[in-house]
Amino acid sequence: MAIFFDIFRRPTVQAQAELYPTLHNVIPNYLYMLRQLNVQKAQDEKPFLKAAAKAAHKILSEYYKKALTTRYSFVIIIYDPRYKLSVLAFMFNTEGGAESAAYKKGKAHFEHVYS
């Protein structure tokens, strides 16, 4: 059970910081949690953890998709020098990468704010 809840520990602690900005970590933290939940969904040893991971993944996927529809998510992640536009191409890799509609929308948001 501790393994399951540990998925959420790091992003939660990171988001509660008072001494440094945290907004740029929102999307990477969603990706981290969704990947870890995918691993838990694939394991068969503990069916109750598999069911919990499946339910948590469904909810987090919805939040993640909503977060990606905001201009702020795109701008703040691109503005962070560690991520830039390459992380958006990675995030939308399964949807066509730099050619996906979501990537182009995010890039347009960034260009609109910083042009």
Side-chain angles (χ1 to χ4, degrees):
M1 195 66 120
I3 293 170
F4 176 77
F5 287 112
D6 196 48
I7 293 170
F8 306 99
R9 186 187 59 76
R10 188 194 84 183
T12 301
V13 169
Q14 215 175 40
Q16 294 177 346
E18 294 179 7
L19 301 176
Y20 56 89
T22 60
L23 189 56
H24 68 279
N25 284 323
V26 171
I27 300 299
N29 281 339
Y30 272 123
L31 292 172
Y32 167 80
M33 290 184 292
L34 288 170
R35 285 189 186 116
Q36 294 302 313
L37 289 169
N38 276 334
V39 170
Q40 291 295 320
K41 284 175 23 179
Q43 63 91 15
D44 290 324
E45 297 97 41
K46 299 176 183 170
F48 62 93
L49 287 180
K50 186 175 185 172
K54 190 174 184 180
H57 189 278
K58 180 181 176 189
I59 298 297
L60 275 177
S61 292
E62 292 172 17
Y63 284 132
Y64 175 67
K65 288 174 186 170
K66 286 179 184 178
L68 291 180
T69 62
T70 68
R71 179 181 327 191
Y72 309 108
S73 294
F74 285 110
V75 171
I76 200 70
I77 200 165
I78 295 170
Y79 190 66
D80 189 311
R82 293 169 287 184
Y83 300 126
K84 304 276 185 194
L85 278 170
S86 61
V87 76
L88 289 182
F90 173 76
M91 287 166 37
F92 299 111
N93 193 31
T94 59
E95 300 170 18
E99 298 303 315
S100 73
Y103 174 89
K104 290 177 181 177
K105 179 181 175 183
K107 185 176 178 184
H109 283 318
F110 180 76
E111 290 170 345
H112 173 74
V113 171
Y114 290 99
S115 313

